[in-house]
Amino acid sequence: MSIVASTKGFPFDTQMENLFTNDTVDFASFGAVHLNNTKLEKSISFWTTIAGLKLRNTTENTAELGTEDKTLIVVHQKANKPFMNGYSGLYHVAIHAPNKKEFSRMVQRLINNNYQFSPTDHTMSKSVYLADPDGITIEFTLETPERYKRILTENGLWVEDTNGKLHSPSDVLDLDLVLSELDNKNVEGIVHQDTKIGHFHFYVSNLETTNEFYKQLGFSQFNHIPQFNYADVGMESNFKHRIAMNTWHGKNKPTASKENAGLYYFNLVFQSKEKLESVITKFPNAKKENDSFWLNDPTGNLICLKSV
């Protein structure tokens, strides 16, 4: 069976080998992600023991966790029920390792703790998926855009790598190769200081309006494949999968009750005040608080926009 590249629903031509030749800095980065959970103690145990984050600060109902010098996750004990599937909202939040060895440490830590996970190779990235104690999906990721050439949408959905080989968008990850980066299985200690929040994937109520919203925020189109109910957007750097969205759960689905665990809000931090000011003029309904702006995307996900 021959597979032919299609540009239908996809913005790029066949010169995809030139797409990842630069490594510029994104106009923004993701700050701390705030999650609503049911039990603070269980969440702290998950993020420290299973994810390897440092407990940076706690109050009666919150916990800040991250690297030695920055907060990545803030847990709020505000939910009364676990995460509910089948609704619009967060699909998963991804924590990105800075290099192969640190990604290997993430995976080995899961194995050492006998924690269930799903290893997946997206070609653009290597990933493992797991669930927190309330059922919120978390992804640990290693960015590998240098392996990616293009998407093919004829006769199904395929990813072509830079060697011309075709892959499923979600191949099985070669764990032996991943773990070969480690000298031993002792992975005690917190994650590397360059570990970061790298991308989000949302179940959205409307693919087109949400896609346009994030482009208005300054993101650029990467994949737009409505026939597969999927789109994602990126910024300037080589890894273009920064905000992904789909309607795989069904179109026009509402968000879950605020009683359920899930995303509270996330921070989008612009690298310049000028860039933030140029973007926020497109959103007259944004609420300003001090130097930050608050708004919801069309699905209802709450975003705090600020600058460094």
Side-chain angles (χ1 to χ4, degrees), residues 87-232:
Y87 290 84
S88 294
L90 183 66
Y91 179 19
H92 56 256
V93 56
I95 297 178
H96 288 214
N99 54 54
K100 292 180 181 179
K101 183 174 182 179
E102 293 304 318
F103 180 64
S104 300
R105 283 170 50 81
M106 288 178 168
V107 176
Q108 186 65 59
R109 185 182 289 108
L110 297 176
I111 295 172
N112 290 355
N113 285 281
N114 197 29
Y115 203 87
Q116 184 175 359
F117 66 92
S118 298
T120 307
D121 193 334
H122 298 299
T123 306
M124 171 68 76
S125 63
K126 296 182 178 183
S127 303
V128 294
Y129 294 88
L130 56 151
D132 83 346
D134 281 310
I136 300 173
T137 301
I138 310 298
E139 179 182 352
F140 296 160
T141 301
L142 176 67
E143 300 178 11
T144 59
E146 71 281 356
R147 299 190 301 150
Y148 175 94
K149 183 177 182 180
R150 58 180 174 175
I151 290 285
L152 306 177
T153 58
E154 293 288 341
N155 300 314
L157 186 63
W158 303 90
V159 181
E160 183 180 2
D161 67 23
T162 50
N163 294 318
K165 184 178 180 181
L166 299 183
H167 304 267
S168 162
S170 298
D171 266 352
V172 176
L173 182 63
D174 185 342
L175 287 179
D176 290 335
L177 179 61
V178 169
L179 297 174
S180 67
E181 297 291 327
L182 294 177
D183 296 327
N184 59 68
K185 297 181 179 180
N186 183 358
V187 292
E188 294 180 1
I190 64 173
V191 296
H192 192 278
Q193 63 182 5
D194 293 331
T195 302
K196 65 181 182 180
I197 302 298
H199 76 267
F200 290 87
H201 196 153
F202 297 116
Y203 288 122
V204 300
S205 54
N206 185 291
L207 186 69
E208 299 306 322
T209 57
T210 307
N211 187 51
E212 288 302 316
F213 170 87
Y214 282 104
K215 288 198 291 184
Q216 281 190 300
L217 272 183
F219 291 84
S220 56
Q221 193 74 67
F222 186 39
N223 297 303
H224 179 229
I225 318 176
Q227 65 269 41
F228 289 96
N229 301 312
Y230 176 85
D232 60 357

Side-chain angles (χ1 to χ4, degrees), residues 54-59 62-66 71-75:
K54 177 182 179 179
L55 180 60
R56 294 172 50 80
N57 190 35
T58 59
T59 68
T62 65
E64 298 179 12
L65 305 110
T71 296
L72 301 179
I73 298 291
V74 181
V75 174

Side-chain angles (χ1 to χ4, degrees), residues 19-74:
L19 185 60
F20 302 110
T21 56
N22 68 323
D23 191 19
T24 53
V25 177
D26 286 335
F27 69 81
S29 60
F30 298 116
V33 180
H34 291 246
L35 301 174
N36 288 334
N37 287 95
T38 58
K39 298 292 184 181
L40 195 64
E41 184 177 350
K42 286 185 178 181
S43 294
I44 291 173
S45 178
F46 168 81
W47 286 110
T48 55
T49 304
I50 305 303
L53 302 190
K54 177 182 179 179
L55 180 60
R56 294 172 50 80
N57 190 35
T58 59
T59 68
E60 182 179 357
N61 295 307
T62 65
E64 298 179 12
L65 305 110
T67 68
E68 190 67 44
D69 58 2
K70 67 177 179 287
T71 296
L72 301 179
I73 298 291
V74 181

